[in-house]
Amino acid sequence: MALPESAAGTMDASERHRRFREVFEAEFDYVWATLRRLGVDARELEDVAQDVFVSVYRRLDSYDRARPLRPWLFAFAFRCAADWRRLARHRIEVLTDCEKRPSASPAADDVVAHAEERVLVQHALDAVPVARRAVLVLHDFDEVPMKQIARALSIPLFTTYSRLRVARREFGEAVRRLRAERGLR
């Protein structure tokens, strides 16, 4: 990926490329899963993930290595997912397919049950408004402390706690509603 030299900041090019490659290789799966949890359709994940990492590359100089990397990356993923949702084609088209990855040969009924649960969780997450979903995903899925979430999303700490409380309620209600619609317990 060739980016303009103006993106190089204070780091020399070889150091920037080395650090970027480390981040990319270590955290690509995390960014991919985060984008999926934030509602980016499986067909668009590759493009949106690329947008995330282009932004990360450009801002690599601003990363404070004393802080955890994942909340910093989440902020990029959150903004790119929000940009993706704002596109007109995403307001018209309802996308329902869910990414499926092959497993290491468990029983067929286990595979089906796991896939159904994954789809249910994704649809329940989709029912939570994105500002609250971001806090829920960071805290409950990624286990990021609340202070780091507040800092990453640039919101007050008490707002972060409030969003988490409401998001958990909305997520639980969505799970119950979806299970009832599907005749599940």
Side-chain angles (χ1 to χ4, degrees):
M1 150 182 12
L3 294 177
E5 284 306 312
S6 62
T10 60
M11 219 181 297
D12 74 7
S14 65
E15 175 67 8
R16 170 175 287 282
H17 291 301
R18 184 190 64 74
R19 284 183 53 198
F20 175 75
R21 178 154 300 288
E22 286 175 4
V23 169
F24 180 83
E25 289 175 357
E27 301 299 340
F28 180 81
D29 289 343
Y30 168 76
V31 169
W32 187 276
T34 297
L35 290 170
R36 190 69 192 113
R37 290 177 187 144
L38 290 173
V40 175
D41 182 71
R43 295 177 290 187
E44 303 284 337
L45 280 171
E46 188 174 337
D47 291 339
V48 180
Q50 180 178 352
D51 292 344
V52 169
F53 282 106
V54 166
S55 297
V56 165
Y57 183 87
R58 289 181 176 148
R59 300 287 314 264
L60 201 54
D61 286 340
S62 70
Y63 172 60
D64 178 0
R65 295 180 89 166
R67 293 187 176 192
L69 179 61
R70 285 190 170 181
W72 188 72
L73 290 173
F74 186 92
F76 286 100
F78 181 75
R79 284 189 292 276
C80 287
D83 291 346
W84 174 82
R85 274 190 306 283
R86 274 192 288 274
L87 294 173
R89 69 177 185 253
H90 301 119
R91 282 180 267 166
I92 297 167
E93 182 179 6
V94 176
L95 304 173
T96 59
D97 65 332
C98 186
E99 177 181 344
K100 296 179 182 172
R101 295 184 180 182
S103 62
S105 69
D109 56 342
D110 290 339
V111 172
V112 170
H114 181 68
E116 288 174 357
E117 284 297 312
R118 192 171 60 233
V119 168
L120 180 108
V121 167
Q122 186 60 55
H123 286 192
L125 280 173
D126 289 344
V128 178
V130 73
R132 291 189 292 270
R133 184 186 328 168
V135 175
L136 179 70
V137 167
L138 272 169
H139 187 268
D140 289 2
F141 288 73
D142 296 341
E143 300 177 352
V144 174
M146 293 300 275
K147 286 182 180 179
Q148 290 177 13
I149 296 170
R151 196 176 312 124
L153 299 177
S154 301
I155 58 176
L157 182 61
F158 290 113
T159 300
T160 308
Y161 279 107
S162 176
R163 287 183 184 181
L164 178 62
R165 181 183 49 77
V166 174
R168 282 177 173 164
R169 187 190 74 229
E170 291 170 334
F171 180 76
E173 290 169 356
V175 167
R176 284 187 290 281
R177 186 187 79 252
L178 291 166
R179 284 182 178 271
E181 289 172 2
R182 297 172 184 184
L184 302 171
R185 287 184 179 180

